[in-house]
Amino acid sequence: MTLPRWNPPVTLSPREARIRKRVGKKRKLFGFLCDHRLELFDDDFQAELEQMYRDTGAGKNPMPPALLAMALLLQGYSNASDSEAVELAACDARWQLVLGCLGCDDPPFSQGSLFNFRERLIAHDMDRKLLERTRELAKRTGAFDFKKLPKKLDVAVDSSPLRGAGRVEDTFNLLAHAAWKVVLCVAELRARPAELLVDELGIPLLAEPSIKKALDIDWSNPAAKSAALNRLLGQIETLEQWVETNLSSESSKPPLQDQLALLEQLRGQDLEPDPDRGGQRIKRGVAKDRRVSVEDPDMRHGRKTKTKSFNGYKRHVVVSLHTKLILAVTVAPANQPEKDSLPTLVDRVEHLGLELASLHFDRGYIESSDVPELVASGVEVICKPWRQSNGDKFAKTDFSLDFVSQTVTCPGGQTQPMLLGESARFEADVCNACELKPKCTTSDRGRGLRIAANEPLQAKLRVLQRAPRGRARLRQRVVVEHTLAHVGQRQGNRARYLGMRKNEYDSTRAAVLVNLQVIQHELECPKLANAA
């Protein structure tokens, strides 16, 4: 199957030129995309986009992939829904200018075409390729003189919260919501109305729009709450037993299998046996990796600080300190520590064929398994060290750590061997007789000192923090904080889609737009670019 190529005109018509002039003052990215669309979507990249399509010839003839990719960028820039994007392509002269269809009465694509193309783009990871293309565009346009830039890059990493789009529910609502989805699935398989099915099975609670209103109890009464929970569970068990008896073969295949597995997952994470009243009770504490939404399976509880919590995801970006271009993006569940996302980000930067000179990040990333390997390969890690405090007693910084001889010496002069990742213990007799003991410890068993696995790196970072030049280097990572704010401004702080991968696509698209604006700014202000 031969796909049509997107070939917008190189020379603008008089009307296009007038619109191009107007967008040069406000919403400037429309003009930039019009000027550089054939550089961003050159023949080689259009050929890569065509590889996403099957060659059987079946189905409708697709639109030019590059045109749809540009439409997705315009959609992100205009913060439009799919249906709005179709209307804008038909009515907004700025959209038509960029898409090369100025004056067309009908939109150049349908809502279904845009949706299907986005799904295909995500499935083939071409959103990441589009982000890579922005760096290539920066080279082509001469926004940065890459020959004068260091061969090895100084990059910074940071993350920000992204609230999930799925509804967050408590245990009662999660169970009722998941059970209702089982009912809907069964009703579809049996071709019967769901409301009639719940009446026949005697499980009316599951059809109620508000489970707590239907239960109608004093929620401050533990006994009433326990009885209500077990009443709900009883009706869920009735449903499951009926399914097992009447739909045993269907229950082992999607979609019914998936809905039953979801119900079991929620019970396992939120419930435990009640030793006092019998039956089940809501589990004390929060289960690890607890699912918080029925509709979005990837959303999780997370914290940005000790006092600020959120439900959803964390978006991470890697930014070049030389150019301020975003090199890589990833999205992770909100409960995943920053350190677990660093290997993915580093791999994606290295996949671009780039080498790192230094890596700037905050303390959340320093425990990553990739950090020792990066340091061993010559990458300089720039990060604030962990705070060392011990009340009014001597802190770890008051001790002398010798990593060559693997010994630690206390302020009183006692020396003991130390091993990374373990605790060093000073002799009790020496400590108890030391005149500095009141300033050191209250224990009669001698002072203990925890030696971190990355203690040599922490020691270097403490030295870095004490020097003015070192503190200046620590402040360089402010670039990534500003860039991440621009991504958040472009994408928003609430997820557009359900699911981690789709929201990573949305974050990557926002990063593409931020990079394009960086390139545009550098081209408009070459003196600033040269000064940098």
Side-chain angles (χ1 to χ4, degrees):
M1 176 174 59
T2 303
L3 296 176
R5 286 284 173 92
W6 183 47
N7 292 306
V10 176
T11 304
L12 301 182
S13 68
R15 186 184 176 195
E16 287 175 327
R18 287 195 298 270
I19 297 173
R20 171 64 185 88
K21 184 177 180 181
R22 292 189 68 87
V23 297
K25 298 179 180 179
K26 290 187 177 181
R27 305 289 280 178
K28 293 182 178 182
L29 193 62
F30 283 112
F32 180 80
L33 289 172
C34 176
D35 295 342
H36 299 283
R37 54 194 171 184
L38 290 178
E39 291 175 283
L40 184 61
F41 296 99
D42 60 12
D43 288 340
D44 291 339
F45 187 41
Q46 291 204 44
E48 287 189 63
L49 291 172
E50 292 167 7
Q51 296 301 314
M52 301 187 301
Y53 290 80
R54 59 186 180 181
D55 55 6
T56 61
K60 297 180 180 180
N61 291 329
M63 299 298 298
L67 181 144
L68 292 171
M70 180 62 84
L72 290 178
L73 292 182
L74 294 175
Q75 180 187 32
Y77 185 54
S78 302
N79 194 26
S81 65
D82 287 356
S83 60
E84 289 172 334
V86 173
E87 292 305 309
L88 287 169
C91 304
D92 193 313
R94 297 170 302 181
W95 274 59
Q96 292 188 344
L97 171 68
V98 177
L99 295 176
C101 60
L102 189 63
C104 294
D105 295 327
D106 297 321
F109 54 85
S110 66
Q111 186 174 337
S113 297
L114 193 65
F115 173 84
N116 292 331
F117 178 78
R118 180 172 57 244
E119 295 293 301
R120 182 175 278 110
L121 192 81
I122 293 172
H124 290 81
D125 293 335
M126 291 302 288
D127 53 329
R128 298 169 188 165
K129 177 64 177 178
L130 188 55
L131 180 62
E132 182 182 343
R133 289 289 301 169
T134 61
R135 191 170 185 273
E136 295 175 11
L137 181 63
K139 289 182 179 179
R140 287 191 177 193
T141 59
F144 301 96
D145 189 347
F146 283 85
K147 293 182 179 179
K148 293 183 179 180
L149 293 177
K151 292 184 178 180
K152 293 187 177 183
L153 301 182
D154 297 319
V155 304
V157 182
D158 203 0
S159 69
S160 66
L162 181 65
R163 291 186 292 112
R167 185 173 65 191
V168 178
E169 299 172 303
D170 63 11
T171 299
F172 278 88
N173 285 296
L174 280 173
L175 291 170
H177 190 171
W180 177 242
K181 290 179 75 69
V182 174
V183 171
L184 292 175
C185 193
V186 171
E188 185 176 352
L189 290 171
R190 283 301 179 97
R192 304 185 66 182
E195 292 76 12
L196 182 59
L197 182 64
V198 296
D199 286 341
E200 290 180 356
L201 297 181
I203 51 175
L205 281 177
L206 304 187
E208 293 290 341
S210 172
I211 185 64
K212 291 193 172 181
K213 179 181 178 181
L215 290 169
D216 190 24
I217 64 167
D218 177 6
W219 292 98
S220 63
N221 186 330
K225 188 175 179 180
S226 176
L229 175 63
N230 284 284
R231 181 184 168 195
L232 172 61
L233 292 175
Q235 296 197 14
I236 291 175
E237 289 172 5
T238 298
L239 172 63
E240 291 179 320
Q241 290 170 3
W242 186 91
V243 169
E244 183 178 354
T245 302
N246 297 276
L247 296 171
S248 58
S249 60
E250 290 88 343
S251 65
S252 61
K253 298 180 292 186
L256 184 54
Q257 180 187 41
D258 297 334
Q259 302 304 335
L260 291 170
L262 168 59
L263 200 51
E264 185 61 31
Q265 177 190 5
L266 296 177
R267 267 201 303 244
Q269 71 176 21
D270 282 3
L271 303 179
E272 64 184 5
D274 189 344
D276 300 324
R277 301 183 179 90
Q280 298 285 305
R281 70 179 184 186
I282 296 177
K283 188 177 292 185
R284 303 295 189 261
V286 179
K288 184 179 180 181
D289 205 36
R290 179 178 182 268
R291 182 166 176 168
V292 298
S293 173
V294 168
E295 299 299 336
D296 190 337
D298 299 328
M299 283 176 56
R300 293 294 183 269
H301 287 302
R303 288 190 175 275
K304 183 60 179 174
T305 65
K306 289 184 178 180
T307 58
K308 292 183 179 180
S309 61
F310 64 100
N311 297 295
Y313 303 94
K314 292 177 184 176
R315 57 187 164 204
H316 304 256
V317 300
V318 181
V319 178
S320 168
L321 298 182
H322 303 293
T323 62
K324 299 182 183 179
L325 293 174
I326 300 173
L327 304 177
V329 175
T330 191
V331 169
N335 66 339
Q336 180 173 299
E338 276 78 358
K339 65 185 180 69
D340 293 345
S341 295
L342 187 63
T344 299
L345 294 168
V346 171
D347 287 346
R348 290 182 182 175
V349 171
E350 292 177 345
H351 177 72
L352 301 176
L354 304 175
E355 295 184 72
L356 300 180
S358 66
L359 187 59
H360 301 240
F361 47 59
D362 62 24
R363 298 183 186 99
Y365 295 93
I366 200 168
E367 300 293 339
S368 170
S369 58
D370 266 24
V371 170
E373 296 179 13
L374 290 168
V375 172
S377 65
V379 177
E380 185 180 11
V381 170
I382 308 296
C383 172
K384 288 183 179 180
W386 289 111
R387 295 187 180 92
Q388 302 295 330
S389 60
N390 191 31
D392 60 350
K393 308 298 181 186
F394 289 136
K396 187 188 295 185
T397 51
D398 296 310
F399 289 70
S400 177
L401 307 178
D402 189 333
F403 298 108
V404 176
S405 63
Q406 294 290 291
T407 58
V408 54
T409 302
C410 74
Q414 183 183 174
T415 299
Q416 290 292 330
M418 69 174 184
L419 293 175
L420 299 181
E422 297 186 9
S423 293
R425 173 66 62 178
F426 291 87
E427 294 181 11
D429 292 344
V430 178
C431 286
N432 292 334
C434 181
E435 61 181 10
L436 297 178
K437 181 184 177 182
K439 297 181 179 180
C440 188
T441 181
T442 58
S443 174
D444 292 332
R445 298 184 298 111
R447 172 67 187 263
L449 195 68
R450 176 67 181 173
I451 307 299
N454 63 354
E455 199 65 57
L457 175 59
Q458 291 290 332
K460 289 181 180 179
L461 296 178
R462 286 193 285 270
V463 172
L464 183 73
Q465 191 177 38
R466 286 196 291 266
R469 181 175 177 275
R471 291 193 292 273
R473 296 203 66 191
L474 288 170
R475 289 192 294 271
Q476 288 179 330
R477 67 177 294 273
V478 73
V479 170
V480 71
E481 295 175 347
H482 293 167
T483 300
L484 199 55
H486 292 316
V487 171
Q489 184 181 32
R490 183 60 58 201
Q491 182 186 12
N493 292 320
R494 186 176 186 272
R496 179 190 289 261
Y497 303 105
L498 299 174
M500 187 163 59
R501 182 62 184 91
K502 287 186 177 181
N503 283 307
E504 182 179 301
Y505 149 79
D506 198 31
S507 296
T508 303
R509 176 174 62 177
V512 169
L513 293 170
V514 170
N515 278 0
L516 291 173
Q517 289 181 310
V518 168
I519 297 169
Q520 179 187 18
H521 179 265
E522 296 301 329
L523 290 173
E524 291 177 351
C525 308
K527 292 182 179 179
L528 294 178
N530 292 331

